[in-house]
């Protein structure tokens, strides 16, 4: 502010204060001069209170993406009732303006309330374009709600009538991302299957499995971090990221895959908890017991189904009652996991100098199941007498030491005991380095252990430890992969994070590094500390039904048993909490219509219906009842999700879209492609048939959303990819014109709209859809007469109307509405400029000007002929469907009938190609094609027919061929009379167009030196469509003007007399003769045809004969129900060559 302005303000304030003190100023002005903080503010700084005009049009303010309707104006005091001293007025539309054009000091202060003096140039736009300061102030205070549990907890804990002040997100990297990811990644597989995997695959291959899976998740995390740091991530996690990066189709498909994966993960965790409960904690709680030696597995599966269903119902009730309880126990569950893992490390360290006592009983080199006997010996000494042991009784079926019924293998081999946990210092690692895959039902054997290889009895197999499933590298990958999932936990909680763009990458990558190190170290420790046959013993049968990993832990196996039980229960609860919310988010996006019901829930937003569906799907997993069968299923869904996260990052990076500016810089498209490749490889490695099923499900959802889903524009990468591909394709098309073999009609359909902007002839669109059958380019064009600035809204409405009609008629194409002063000019613009590059139209479809004879206004048929001339000049083909309202709709079917082609002149082969294309559509498919051609007197009609049949055979077009002979007959009286009537009518209309106004204008122009040139253009096209001349013209009559008027009247009367004695032009008589004769022949042969195609004669070069040209076309097509006039574009469109 300059010093002059400041002094002006001070003088204004002091002057008002002096007037108030003297009592000369009005009271409102004195009130306005009193500062708000008069007691606190220094006296040298005067304030002005601005009273704003109440603005009732808040809805006119624009919205910022992600914010509700926002008032960008700064807050001001409300006016007191009855105050009339405001110098800022309103026009009733929220546009404030000064009453006075001169800005004095007090008004300047008031104007500053709404408009800054420095922004006067923009003051008219500040309603819809806020000041930068206002915008930044709103964006800084932007908060996103959690799409998880936080708002539900608040809704439950607060009264519905009171609104709780929302807390800003406060979680850091450790609590918000790192620990939740750790809790989700560590799970049931670590405790129940990792030791078994090391035993089967060996340490080296186990390293490879862990490395593959961890590389997959690490590369996915890098891609996810790039997407997550590219702008504010609202709550919604992976679904939000994928859908906004790859579009609603991919987003919906992958979102549902992720949902199914999370749901099956819940089932897997419940099955794991039941396995721990029934195998290691309370085996006596089993409901079903094996009836025979071989029914153990089926009894166990039934127990899992019953207890799993009960657990699922209990967990679903807990989630339904209140999610806050799940969250409060989350830290307890995480503590169980951490303590369990620490106990493994402690046990491994202790095993170096003091390995735990877990002896294994071996018969030869076979491992015996320890739960059926106590003493590992064939005989025992009891009261100094050697008696048979329990083991002898089991193998020999006798309590004495007789050997008649003994198992041969039992007799030939010795019983021995080896240490189950030799310890890290024992050197067992070298034995466990290599794989030892088994088939289902195979006995666990220790290599290089002394034994005699003889066949034993099959009914004793239950006494050994057997492999329950066939194992291979591929099977183990599928089972292990769920133990590295859970990397999305941080992004799912993005709404709770203080700085999501920093916390998500750092926390997730640290969690993956930590868990990977734990997995690698556990593989090494298990291989170094535990005997191989114990590692391969999935359920701990050889170690008295102890959990194998528990045998290594310190201080007690129960630490891991209890810890793993609670951690798997917690993980199951969290899966049942997260999956319904994910489904609710997809349903609320409304991209999959049939899921809308799952978007609703309890009053506090709890997804009740989604929880019910999740429980039902999880029940399917529980009915499978096998952890090893469920794990590969959820592996597929998670791998599918991770694959598309990598794809999203790679697409965005390669497209270099302007909005792709991630804060996380350590990504590259090659890494994303590598991650995508690993995901795809893992899917097919673990289970190729599950992979195909998962991809089929995702593909079906994708196509469903594409065809039925709501259209969403999220600025996704696939749209950018489409643009890049389209640009590339257009540049390729630009290299040259299409070959004749590739030619197909690319249509520009010129539609006429009525006064209400409705399509006048919708059957034109029907015909276009039948001709195209979804192939090639279709542009629907229309012209609105007027000024673009004034009729822009009408053009938008017309475009929307046409698009709706295109949807109804199933026309796949584009719409373009042009505003022009003259319709003819607008059509010329469309013909010239529609399309882009090589994707331009080559055929124009034009409606017939119905009622042109009855109309006094010649503009309709002149526009028609002008369009015909434009298309001819542009070397475009032209199709004119006459009587288009009689054309069939898309729902009709012609089961019989003919499409007749009258090939009079060769026009590039369009007449042959069009019926063939029409017959591709179901409406015309059963119609037969007939081709007629005309022979003159000097033509050999028999040879013509043979040649035409050969030509059609080479064109691969099936059609009947007929040659029609036309004799040189004399011109009939009828023809002569038609021509005479036509010319008399034309002359009469020309005379009638000399209206009173035009005659007056003509008289007025006599004095003008350019009157001759002006008179010549009086009836030109420019005048036809010009503005109407006002009826009342002010004229000053002079002698010359009066004489001119008399002459005009005299000539008009004379010209009407001449109409009677007019003689027809010989050229017109010949043309009329052709039209009449052709029409007779065509009606005679094709009166019952479903459609008649014939060559359209070109318009006359001299524009004086335009009206006669219209008459010729009418005569040519008289008496035919459906006619398609065809005019080629001057190039061959069909070829006999392959």
């Amino acid at each position: 502010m300059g010093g002059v302005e400041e002094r002006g303000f001070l003088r204004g304030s002091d002057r008002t204060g002096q007037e108030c003190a003297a009592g000369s100023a009005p009271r409102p002005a004195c009130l306005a001069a009193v500062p708000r903080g008069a007691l606190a503010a220094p006296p040298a700084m005067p304030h002005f209170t601005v009273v704003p005009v109440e603005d009732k049009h808040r809805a006119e303010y624009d919205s910022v993406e992600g914010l509700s309707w926002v008032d960008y104006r700064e807050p001001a005091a409300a006016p007191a009732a009855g105050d009339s001293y405001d110098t800022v007025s309103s026009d009733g539309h929220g546009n404030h303006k000064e009453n006075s054009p001169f800005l004095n000091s007090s008004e300047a202060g008031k104007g500053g309330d709404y408009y800054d003096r420095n922004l006067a140039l923009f003051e008219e736009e500040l309603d819809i374009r806020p000041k930068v300061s206002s915008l930044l102030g709103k964006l800084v205070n932007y908060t996103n709600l959690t799409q998880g549990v936080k708002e539900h907890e608040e809704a439950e804990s607060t009264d519905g009538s009171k609104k709780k002040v929302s807390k800003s997100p406060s979680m850091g990297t450790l609590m918000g991302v790192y620990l939740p990811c750790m809790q989700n990644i560590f799970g049931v597989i670590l405790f129940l299957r990792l030791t078994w995997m090391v035993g089967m695959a060996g340490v080296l291959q186990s390293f490879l499995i862990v490395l593959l899976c961890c590389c997959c998740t690490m590369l996915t995390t890098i891609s996810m971090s790039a997407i997550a740091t590219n702008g504010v991530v609202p709550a919604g996690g992976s679904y939000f990221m994928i859908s906004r990066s790859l579009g609603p189709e991919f987003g919906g498909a992958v979102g549902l895959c992720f949902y199914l994966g999370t749901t099956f993960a819940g089932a897997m965790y419940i099955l794991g908890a039941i396995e721990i409960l029934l195998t290691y904690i309370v085996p006596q709680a089993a409901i079903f017991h094996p009836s025979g030696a071989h029914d153990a597995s089926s009894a166990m599966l039934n127990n899992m189904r019953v207890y799993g269903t009960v657990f699922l119902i209990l967990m679903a009730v807990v989630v339904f009652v209140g999610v806050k309880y799940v969250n409060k126990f989350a830290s307890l569950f995480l503590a169980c996991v951490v303590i369990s893992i620490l106990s493994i490390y402690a046990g491994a360290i202790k095993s170096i100098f003091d390995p735990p006592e877990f002896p294994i009983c071996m018969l030869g080199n076979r491992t015996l199941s320890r739960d059926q006997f106590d003493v590992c010996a064939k005989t025992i000494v009891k009261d100094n007498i050697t008696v048979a042991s329990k083991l002898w009784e089991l193998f020999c079926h006798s309590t004495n030491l007789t050997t008649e019924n003994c198992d041969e293998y039992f007799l030939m081999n010795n019983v021995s005991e080896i240490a189950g946990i030799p310890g890290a210092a024992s050197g067992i690692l070298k034995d466990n380095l290599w794989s030892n895959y088994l088939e289902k039902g195979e006995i666990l054997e220790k290599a290089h252990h002394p034994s005699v290889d003889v066949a034993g009895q099959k009914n004793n197999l239950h006494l050994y430890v057997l492999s329950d499933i066939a194992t291979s590298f591929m099977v183990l990958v599928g089972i292990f992969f769920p133990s590295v999932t859970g990397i999305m936990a941080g992004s799912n909680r993005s709404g709770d994070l203080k700085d999501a763009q920093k916390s998500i990458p750092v926390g997730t990558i640290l969690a993956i590094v930590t868990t990977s190190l734990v997995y690698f170290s556990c593989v090494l420790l298990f291989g170094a500390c535990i005997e191989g046959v114990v590692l391969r013993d999935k359920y701990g049968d050889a170690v008295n039904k102890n959990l194998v990993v528990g045998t290594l832990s310190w201080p007690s196996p129960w630490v891991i048993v209890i810890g793993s039980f609670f951690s798997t229960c917690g993980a199951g609860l969290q899966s049942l909490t997260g999956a319904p919310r994910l489904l609710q988010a997809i349903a609320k996006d409304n991209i999959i219509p049939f899921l809308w019901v799952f978007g609703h829930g309890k009053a506090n937003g709890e997804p009740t219906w989604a929880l019910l569906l999740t429980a039902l799907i999880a029940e399917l997993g529980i009915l499978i009842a096998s952890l090893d069968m469920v794990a590969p299923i959820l592996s597929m869904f998670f791998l599918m999700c991770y694959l598309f996260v990598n794809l999203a990052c790679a697409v965005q990076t390669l497209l270099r879209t302007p909005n792709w500016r991630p804060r996380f810089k350590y990504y590259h498209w090659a890494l994303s492609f590598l991650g995508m490749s690993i995901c795809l490889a893992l899917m097919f490695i673990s289970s190729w048939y599950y992979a195909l099923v998962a991809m089929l499900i995702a593909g079906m959802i994708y196509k469903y959303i594409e065809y039925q889903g709501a259209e969403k524009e999220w600025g996704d990468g696939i749209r950018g990819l489409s643009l890049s591909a389209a640009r590339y394709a257009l540049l390729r098309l630009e290299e040259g014109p299409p070959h004749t073999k590739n030619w197909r009609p690319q249509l520009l359909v010129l539609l006429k709209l009525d006064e209400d902007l409705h399509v006048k002839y919708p059957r034109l669109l029907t015909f276009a859809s039948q001709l195209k059958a979804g192939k090639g380019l279709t542009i629907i064009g229309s012209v609105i007469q007027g000024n673009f600035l004034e009729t822009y809204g009408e053009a938008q409405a017309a475009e929307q109307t046409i698009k709706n009609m295109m949807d109804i008629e199933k026309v796949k194409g584009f719409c373009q509405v042009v505003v022009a002063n003259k319709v003819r000019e607008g059509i010329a613009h469309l013909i010239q400029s529609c399309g882009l590059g090589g994707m331009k139209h080559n055929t124009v479809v034009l409606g017939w000007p119905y009622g042109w004879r009855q109309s006094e206004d010649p503009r309709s048929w002149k526009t028609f002929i002008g369009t015909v001339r434009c298309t001819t000049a542009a070397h475009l083909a032209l199709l004119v469907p006459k009587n288009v309202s009689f054309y069939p709709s898309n729902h009709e079917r012609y089961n019989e009938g003919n499409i007749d082609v009258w090939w009079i002149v060769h026009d590039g082969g369009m007449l042959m190609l069009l019926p063939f294309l029409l017959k591709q559509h179901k409406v015309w498919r059963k119609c037969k094609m007939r081709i007629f051609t005309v022979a003159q007197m000097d033509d050999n009609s028999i040879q013509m027919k043979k040649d035409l049949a050969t030509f059609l055979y080479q064109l691969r077009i099936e059609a009947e061929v007929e040659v029609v002979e036309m004799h040189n007959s004399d011109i009939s009286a009828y023809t002569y009379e038609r021509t005479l009537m036509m010319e008399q009518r034309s002359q009469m209309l020309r005379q009638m167009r000399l209206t009173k106004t035009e005659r007056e204008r003509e008289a007025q122009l006599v004095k003008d030196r350019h009157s001759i040139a002006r008179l010549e253009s009086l009836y030109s096209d420019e005048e036809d469509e010009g503005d109407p001349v006002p009826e009342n013209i002010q004229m000053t009559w002079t002698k010359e003007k009066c004489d001119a008027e008399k002459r005009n009247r005299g000539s008009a009367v004379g010209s009407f007399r001449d109409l009677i004695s007019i003689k027809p032009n010989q050229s017109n008589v010949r043309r009329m003769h052709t039209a009449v004769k052709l029409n007779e022949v065509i009606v005679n042969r094709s009166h019952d045809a479903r459609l008649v195609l014939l060559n359209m004669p070109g318009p006359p070069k001299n524009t004086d004969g335009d009206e006669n040209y219209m008459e010729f076309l009418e005569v040519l097509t008289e008496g035919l129900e459906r006619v398609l006039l065809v005019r080629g574009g001057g190039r061959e469109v069909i070829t006999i060559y392959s």
Side-chain angles (χ1 to χ4, degrees):
M1 297 282 288
V4 178
E5 290 178 338
E6 289 180 21
R7 286 197 297 275
F9 270 92
L10 287 170
R11 280 202 301 273
S13 176
D14 292 344
R15 184 167 59 252
T16 311
Q18 289 165 7
E19 288 171 355
C20 288
S24 57
R27 176 170 172 75
C30 296
L31 285 172
V34 175
R36 290 181 190 172
L39 296 174
M45 294 296 292
H47 290 255
F48 290 85
T49 302
V50 179
V51 182
V53 176
E54 187 67 27
D55 185 3
K56 296 179 183 177
H57 295 262
R58 295 272 175 102
E60 291 179 5
Y61 302 134
D62 202 358
S63 66
V64 180
E65 185 180 357
L67 301 180
S68 302
W69 297 97
V70 181
D71 188 352
Y72 292 106
R73 299 172 298 171
E74 290 152 11
D83 287 350
S84 59
Y85 52 84
D86 189 9
T87 59
V88 182
S89 67
S90 171
D91 60 0
H93 295 285
N95 301 319
H96 296 257
K97 57 178 187 280
E98 292 85 11
N99 286 340
S100 167
F102 305 105
L103 190 67
N104 58 29
S105 58
S106 61
E107 285 168 346
K110 291 175 184 177
D113 174 64
Y114 193 77
Y115 307 122
D116 197 307
R117 283 188 300 279
N118 297 325
L119 297 176
L121 273 175
F122 303 95
E123 61 187 21
E124 291 184 359
E125 297 181 318
L126 284 179
D127 273 356
I128 56 171
R129 297 182 184 181
K131 287 193 293 183
V132 174
S133 58
S134 306
L135 175 66
L136 292 177
K138 298 293 178 188
L139 288 178
V140 164
N141 295 326
Y142 170 69
T143 58
N144 47 11
L145 292 174
T146 318
Q147 169 142 17
V149 293
K150 192 172 173 186
E151 73 273 25
H152 301 314
E153 290 180 30
E154 290 173 358
E156 284 184 353
S157 58
T158 56
D159 187 13
S161 60
K162 296 177 184 176
K163 284 194 175 180
K164 191 173 179 181
V165 180
S166 60
K167 297 176 184 176
S168 61
S170 58
M171 281 192 177
T173 304
L174 181 70
M175 293 299 294
V177 181
Y178 180 73
L179 292 179
C181 280
M182 291 269 288
Q183 185 182 354
N184 276 267
I185 293 171
F186 285 136
V188 65
I189 302 292
L190 170 63
F191 303 115
L192 292 183
R193 294 290 182 269
L194 190 58
T195 52
W196 173 73
M197 186 187 87
V198 174
M200 291 293 181
V203 173
L204 295 180
Q205 287 194 24
S206 297
F207 269 138
L208 181 60
I209 292 172
V210 175
L211 182 67
L212 265 176
C213 296
C214 291
C215 280
C216 174
T217 53
M218 178 59 85
L219 292 170
T220 304
T221 302
I222 291 170
S223 299
M224 185 191 74
S225 300
I227 298 170
T229 57
N230 185 48
V232 178
V233 182
S238 58
Y239 162 68
F240 182 91
M241 289 190 294
I242 295 168
S243 61
R244 268 56 175 181
S245 297
L246 290 179
E249 293 89 0
F250 278 111
V254 179
L256 279 181
C257 282
F258 192 53
Y259 162 74
L260 290 171
T262 310
T263 306
F264 275 106
M268 184 189 76
Y269 288 129
I270 291 172
L271 289 173
I274 302 300
E275 186 177 311
I276 294 168
L277 181 73
L278 293 181
T279 310
Y280 308 114
I281 299 178
V282 278
Q284 58 272 24
I287 299 170
F288 298 94
H289 299 282
S291 56
H294 305 289
D295 295 337
S297 60
S298 60
M300 182 64 182
L301 291 179
N302 288 330
N303 285 321
M304 299 274 273
R305 290 182 182 113
V306 172
Y307 276 97
T309 305
V310 172
F311 263 53
L312 177 64
I313 292 168
L314 288 174
M315 288 183 177
V317 168
V318 170
V319 173
F320 178 76
V321 168
V323 179
K324 56 185 176 183
Y325 303 116
V326 179
N327 279 342
K328 283 176 181 173
F329 285 112
S331 53
L332 172 65
F333 299 141
L334 179 61
C336 290
V337 174
V338 173
I339 291 169
S340 300
I341 291 170
L342 289 176
S343 74
I344 294 172
Y345 286 113
I349 294 167
K350 179 178 174 291
S351 74
I352 297 172
F353 49 85
D354 184 16
E357 287 291 330
F358 281 101
I360 303 166
C361 190
M362 305 292 294
L363 177 61
N365 64 351
R366 296 180 181 180
T367 313
L368 294 171
S369 180
R370 194 63 186 261
D371 62 330
Q372 301 186 46
F373 57 90
D374 301 324
V375 180
C376 182
K378 291 185 179 182
T379 58
I380 55 172
V381 177
K382 195 171 184 182
D383 298 331
N384 292 325
I385 301 170
T386 303
V387 293
S389 68
K390 180 69 175 171
L391 197 59
W392 185 284
E393 292 178 16
L394 290 170
F395 275 98
C396 296
H397 311 292
S398 152
T399 52
N400 54 20
L401 292 173
T402 57
T403 59
E404 292 94 12
N405 297 322
C406 280
D407 189 308
E408 189 180 356
Y409 188 86
F410 178 72
L411 290 174
M412 299 291 291
N413 287 280
N414 294 323
V415 175
S416 60
E417 268 191 344
I418 59 171
I421 313 291
S426 64
I428 195 71
L429 179 62
K430 66 177 184 295
D431 294 333
N432 291 332
L433 281 177
W434 312 108
S435 63
N436 194 348
Y437 297 117
L438 301 174
E439 292 299 319
K440 183 177 180 179
E442 205 171 328
I443 300 170
L444 270 61
E445 296 178 350
K446 180 173 171 59
H448 312 301
H449 202 67
S451 71
V452 178
D453 191 13
V454 291
Q457 294 176 5
K458 285 188 176 180
N459 58 357
N460 290 330
L461 285 175
H462 66 281
L463 301 173
Y464 301 106
V465 180
L466 304 174
S467 171
D468 65 332
I469 60 168
T471 52
S472 65
F473 180 82
M474 297 180 179
V475 170
L476 295 182
V477 168
I479 292 173
F480 177 74
F481 188 79
S483 63
V484 295
T485 60
I487 58 173
M488 300 289 184
S491 62
N492 289 344
R493 301 168 71 97
S494 53
D496 293 329
L497 301 173
K498 192 185 298 180
D499 183 3
Q501 297 192 3
K502 179 186 172 187
S503 297
I504 289 175
V506 174
T508 311
I509 289 172
L510 280 177
I512 288 179
V513 169
T514 307
T515 52
S516 301
L517 289 174
V518 169
Y519 285 135
F520 281 120
S521 60
C522 282
V523 166
L524 190 63
L525 289 175
F526 293 158
C529 297
I530 304 176
E531 172 60 50
V533 288
V534 180
L535 287 173
R536 290 189 287 279
D537 183 3
K538 186 187 286 185
Y539 300 109
D541 292 327
V543 284
N544 283 329
K545 288 285 183 182
N546 275 304
L547 182 61
V548 173
V549 69
T551 59
L552 181 63
S553 64
W554 180 87
S556 165
W558 286 102
V559 174
I560 284 194
V561 171
I562 302 299
S564 60
F565 177 74
F566 280 114
S567 69
T568 47
C569 288
L573 275 173
Q574 290 202 320
S575 295
L576 290 179
T577 305
R581 276 162 187 75
L582 182 59
L583 182 63
Q584 188 181 37
I586 298 169
K588 282 186 173 177
D589 262 345
N590 198 28
I591 57 171
I592 305 176
F594 69 81
L595 289 182
W596 66 271
V597 70
F598 299 110
H600 308 296
K602 288 198 291 189
N604 63 349
E606 194 73 22
T608 313
W609 292 108
L611 176 62
L612 185 63
L613 180 69
T614 303
L616 289 173
I617 296 173
E619 177 62 21
L620 293 177
I622 284 168
L623 290 176
I624 295 172
S626 170
L627 188 70
D628 303 317
M629 295 288 286
V630 174
I633 295 174
L634 66 104
S635 295
M636 287 307 128
F637 290 124
F638 278 120
L639 280 166
M640 182 81 74
C641 179
Y642 296 166
L643 184 147
F644 281 106
V645 170
N646 285 302
L647 176 65
C649 181
V651 165
Q652 297 276 34
T653 309
L654 288 173
L655 287 177
R656 295 193 182 95
T657 49
N659 191 50
W660 180 246
R661 302 184 298 276
R663 288 189 181 280
F664 181 78
K665 300 296 181 189
Y666 307 102
Y667 69 94
H668 193 269
W669 64 265
L671 291 176
S672 299
F673 267 118
L674 180 61
M676 198 170 72
S677 306
I678 293 175
C679 287
L680 196 62
L682 286 176
M683 284 176 71
F684 282 94
I685 283 172
S686 56
S687 177
W688 63 268
Y689 45 90
Y690 279 163
L692 290 177
V693 169
M695 293 171 85
L696 182 67
I697 290 171
M700 286 167 61
I701 297 166
Y702 178 95
K703 296 308 286 183
Y704 177 80
I705 297 171
E706 188 178 36
Y707 285 112
Q708 295 290 332
E711 290 183 12
K712 301 277 182 184
E713 176 47 67
W714 286 330
D716 50 84
I718 292 296
R719 191 172 178 83
L721 190 63
S722 303
L723 286 170
S724 297
R727 174 183 163 275
Y728 173 75
L730 284 170
L731 289 172
R732 286 288 305 274
L733 285 173
E734 196 75 350
E735 292 172 4
H739 192 271
T740 305
K741 288 188 287 187
N742 297 327
W743 196 95
R744 64 166 65 244
Q746 317 287 13
L747 301 182
L748 168 61
V749 183
L750 296 173
L751 279 189
K752 190 173 183 181
L753 303 177
D754 59 17
E755 294 79 5
D756 299 326
L757 300 180
H758 293 142
V759 178
K760 207 163 186 181
Y761 302 113
R763 283 294 161 86
L764 274 175
L765 293 174
T766 314
F767 171 70
S769 72
Q770 291 168 7
L771 186 61
K772 298 299 291 178
K775 304 290 191 300
L777 175 72
T778 305
I779 303 172
I780 312 298
S782 188
V783 179
I784 291 180
Q785 194 170 356
N787 187 342
F788 178 70
L789 295 176
E790 295 169 2
T791 56
Y792 176 70
E794 278 186 44
Q796 294 292 96
E799 192 166 322
Q800 193 55 49
T801 303
I802 293 172
K803 282 180 179 174
N804 293 340
M805 188 58 71
M806 287 169 70
D807 288 340
I808 292 168
E809 296 295 342
K810 294 182 172 57
V811 177
K812 301 282 185 186
F814 310 97
C815 173
Q816 190 163 353
V817 176
V818 170
V819 178
N821 289 326
K822 296 178 182 176
V823 174
R824 207 177 310 170
E825 286 180 4
I827 290 174
H829 292 327
L830 283 172
I831 289 172
Q832 291 176 74
S833 60
C834 270
L836 181 65
M839 280 292 280
K840 288 182 76 72
H841 57 277
N842 54 29
T843 306
V844 176
V845 179
L846 179 63
W848 179 260
Y850 300 101
W852 66 273
R853 281 173 170 161
Q854 290 75 30
S855 174
E856 292 184 6
D857 186 1
R859 278 184 292 186
S860 62
W861 58 264
K862 286 201 172 185
T863 302
F864 174 81
I865 296 175
T867 307
V868 175
R869 286 199 172 96
C870 278
T871 52
T872 306
H875 300 291
L876 301 175
L878 177 67
L879 306 179
V880 180
K882 197 162 179 279
N883 302 331
V884 76
S885 53
F886 294 118
Y887 276 54
S889 70
N890 285 327
H891 305 296
E892 294 180 44
R893 300 281 186 283
Y894 286 150
N895 293 322
E896 56 181 1
N898 300 312
I899 299 176
D900 286 357
V901 176
W902 284 85
W903 191 18
I904 298 162
V905 292
H906 181 58
D907 215 357
M910 278 281 285
L911 283 169
M912 312 292 169
L913 189 61
L914 290 174
F916 171 76
L917 295 174
L918 277 175
K919 283 185 68 177
Q920 306 303 307
H921 196 273
K922 55 192 174 186
V923 173
W924 305 92
R925 189 165 291 148
K926 294 188 178 178
C927 290
K928 293 180 179 177
M929 186 173 159
R930 298 191 301 185
I931 295 184
F932 298 90
T933 188
V934 176
Q936 302 301 323
M937 284 296 290
D938 51 350
D939 292 330
N940 184 344
S941 56
I942 297 171
Q943 189 60 40
M944 273 180 72
K945 186 170 183 177
K946 284 182 181 176
D947 294 344
L948 183 55
T950 306
F951 179 59
L952 288 176
Y953 177 77
Q954 290 172 337
L955 286 176
R956 289 92 62 204
I957 290 176
E958 293 181 12
E960 292 179 24
V961 176
E962 200 164 331
V963 176
V964 178
E965 295 181 351
M966 287 185 68
H967 303 291
N968 288 333
S969 58
D970 294 334
I971 294 168
S972 64
Y974 171 75
T975 304
Y976 197 83
E977 190 179 340
R978 283 292 296 256
T979 313
L980 184 61
M981 285 169 61
M982 176 184 76
E983 292 195 357
Q984 282 179 343
R985 181 179 175 280
S986 301
Q987 189 70 23
M988 190 183 298
L989 285 172
R990 212 172 286 133
Q991 293 297 333
M992 285 169 65
R993 283 186 206 119
L994 284 170
T995 61
K996 178 185 174 186
T997 307
E998 288 164 337
R999 288 201 302 275
E1000 286 172 343
R1001 186 195 292 177
E1002 195 175 340
Q1004 202 171 10
L1005 290 172
V1006 170
K1007 205 172 181 181
D1008 188 7
R1009 67 178 63 184
H1010 302 297
S1011 60
I1012 297 168
R1014 188 75 179 86
L1015 281 165
E1016 283 176 357
S1017 67
L1018 186 64
Y1019 303 114
S1020 70
D1021 293 350
E1022 298 297 318
E1023 288 297 309
D1024 286 336
E1025 292 182 13
D1027 297 329
V1029 182
E1031 288 293 329
N1032 300 321
I1033 297 177
Q1034 300 291 331
M1035 291 184 67
T1036 305
W1037 285 95
T1038 60
K1039 191 169 184 294
E1040 292 84 353
K1041 288 181 179 177
C1042 192
D1043 292 341
E1045 177 67 14
K1046 286 177 182 176
R1047 280 199 303 276
N1048 281 332
R1049 284 182 183 174
S1051 64
V1053 173
S1055 59
F1056 275 116
R1057 286 198 193 105
D1058 293 342
L1059 282 174
I1060 301 164
S1061 58
I1062 194 169
K1063 286 190 176 181
N1065 187 322
Q1066 283 303 310
S1067 173
N1068 288 343
V1069 172
R1070 281 188 293 106
R1071 288 188 171 88
M1072 183 62 79
H1073 175 68
T1074 305
V1076 169
K1077 292 293 290 179
L1078 271 175
N1079 179 254
E1080 282 178 7
V1081 173
I1082 294 170
V1083 170
N1084 185 36
R1085 299 296 182 97
S1086 302
H1087 60 89
D1088 59 347
R1090 298 295 188 187
L1091 180 65
V1092 176
L1093 288 85
L1094 60 102
N1095 292 109
M1096 181 179 181
K1101 293 178 181 176
N1102 185 2
T1103 55
D1104 290 342
D1106 283 358
E1107 199 169 359
N1108 299 338
Y1109 173 67
M1110 295 297 295
E1111 189 71 36
F1112 296 145
L1113 293 180
E1114 285 281 12
V1115 171
L1116 184 62
T1117 57
E1118 229 170 28
L1120 297 171
E1121 190 177 17
R1122 282 179 287 270
V1123 186
L1124 181 63
L1125 295 168
V1126 181
R1127 185 162 174 75
R1131 62 161 291 172
E1132 291 292 332
V1133 300
I1134 197 165
T1135 178
I1136 62 174
Y1137 301 107
S1138 62

